[in-house]
Amino acid sequence: DAGITQSPRHKVTETGTPVTLRCHQTENHRYMYWYRQDPGHGLRLIHYSYGVKDTDKGEVSDGYSVSRSKTEDFLLTLESATSSQTSVYFCAISEPARDSSYEQYFGPGTRLTVT
Amino acid sequence: DQQVKQNSPSLSVQEGRISILNCDYTNSMFDYFLWYKKYPAEGPTFLISISSIKDKNEDGRFTVFLNKSAKHLSLHIVPSQPGDSAVYFCAAPQGGSEKLVFGKGMKLTVNP
């Protein structure tokens, strides 16, 4: 299994508070991603990173920011949490595609509840 | 506009029978497809993939078929086992990038 950890694994927070989720990898993979999973929506990309300090927006980036100051860490921040951000958040990593291989490896997820 | 569609949210089969999970796509530029499997309270895990230059890829009990003219792929699991009960996602890399676009997922239940 790819060495990916997410912290915290569970969090309950109140509307309007800032929240930071951490993804840590030991695989030295270049690319990192944050997804959210919601019923009826599957997995949707929030932000991604192609390297240190190189990040970009995904499909559902509003209300989220990210930072990557080290290869191994990718932080997702909800500046002011809303109830619509209640979800399960997954981090994923990958290397540049070789031989047309695009596999991403996922962390165990963080369940966030915003009350 | 959903580019990868899994139109059936769930499937229930008997142990030992075949499970067929379907996926349709709208973007004819997709050149690679992946299937992921997800158990509750765990992250998705890669299962099998197929390049658009092939029409079939097999790995043990799992076979993926690709019909480019119909923009359709399917995952066959034979024989199905109770441990296969999970949510399955199909995915494809977005045009020339590393980013994957996922379907909504299908919950497979294999009954003993």
Side-chain angles (χ1 to χ4, degrees):
Chain A
D1 291 343
I4 310 170
T5 56
Q6 293 184 230
S7 58
R9 293 293 313 278
H10 303 272
K11 186 171 182 65
V12 180
T13 191
E14 292 184 350
T15 298
T17 60
V19 176
T20 295
L21 308 183
R22 179 182 184 234
C23 177
H24 179 77
Q25 60 147 329
T26 58
E27 305 296 319
N28 201 36
H29 279 31
R30 179 177 167 187
Y31 300 157
M32 298 186 76
Y33 313 82
W34 276 107
Y35 292 89
R36 61 179 289 175
Q37 185 196 5
D38 304 288
H41 290 279
L43 290 159
R44 293 182 292 175
L45 183 65
I46 306 171
H47 281 280
Y48 58 100
S49 170
Y50 284 171
V52 173
K53 297 183 180 180
D54 183 5
T55 65
D56 207 344
K57 297 178 179 180
E59 176 187 358
V60 290
S61 60
D62 287 349
Y64 302 95
S65 63
V66 289
S67 66
R68 192 169 178 200
S69 59
K70 298 184 290 184
T71 298
E72 57 266 36
D73 289 326
F74 194 31
L75 303 181
L76 176 71
T77 297
L78 291 66
E79 300 292 345
S80 178
T82 68
S83 59
S84 65
Q85 293 175 312
T86 292
S87 186
V88 181
Y89 291 86
F90 290 101
C91 173
I93 64 175
S94 73
E95 278 287 87
R98 297 192 189 93
D99 301 324
S100 297
S101 168
Y102 294 88
E103 287 96 21
Q104 294 181 12
Y105 304 94
F106 285 80
T110 294
R111 181 173 293 276
L112 177 68
T113 302
V114 183
T115 62
Chain B
D1 181 29
Q2 199 177 12
Q3 299 184 69
V4 179
K5 301 177 182 180
Q6 294 177 262
N7 294 317
S8 299
S10 63
L11 174 68
S12 182
V13 300
Q14 285 300 119
E15 181 178 5
R17 307 295 288 268
I18 185 172
S19 295
I20 300 176
L21 291 74
N22 294 308
C23 182
D24 297 298
Y25 60 95
T26 58
N27 190 340
S28 58
M29 299 300 292
F30 285 154
D31 59 1
Y32 197 81
F33 302 90
L34 306 92
W35 284 94
Y36 279 82
K37 175 179 180 180
K38 185 187 178 303
Y39 292 120
E42 295 183 11
T45 56
F46 170 73
L47 184 59
I48 192 170
S49 61
I50 187 167
S51 165
S52 62
I53 63 173
K54 298 182 178 180
D55 54 18
K56 176 183 174 181
N57 188 30
E58 187 173 358
D59 183 2
R61 296 186 296 114
F62 302 91
T63 303
V64 57
F65 295 91
L66 176 62
N67 182 334
K68 290 187 290 293
S69 62
K71 296 181 184 174
H72 176 84
L73 63 155
S74 60
L75 174 67
H76 293 212
I77 306 173
V78 182
S80 300
Q81 299 174 354
D84 296 328
S85 297
V87 175
Y88 291 79
F89 295 95
C90 64
Q94 288 184 302
S97 79
E98 311 289 344
K99 296 183 293 182
L100 296 179
V101 57
F102 286 83
K104 293 183 178 181
M106 170 190 266
K107 183 177 181 180
L108 172 66
T109 302
V110 180
N111 301 301

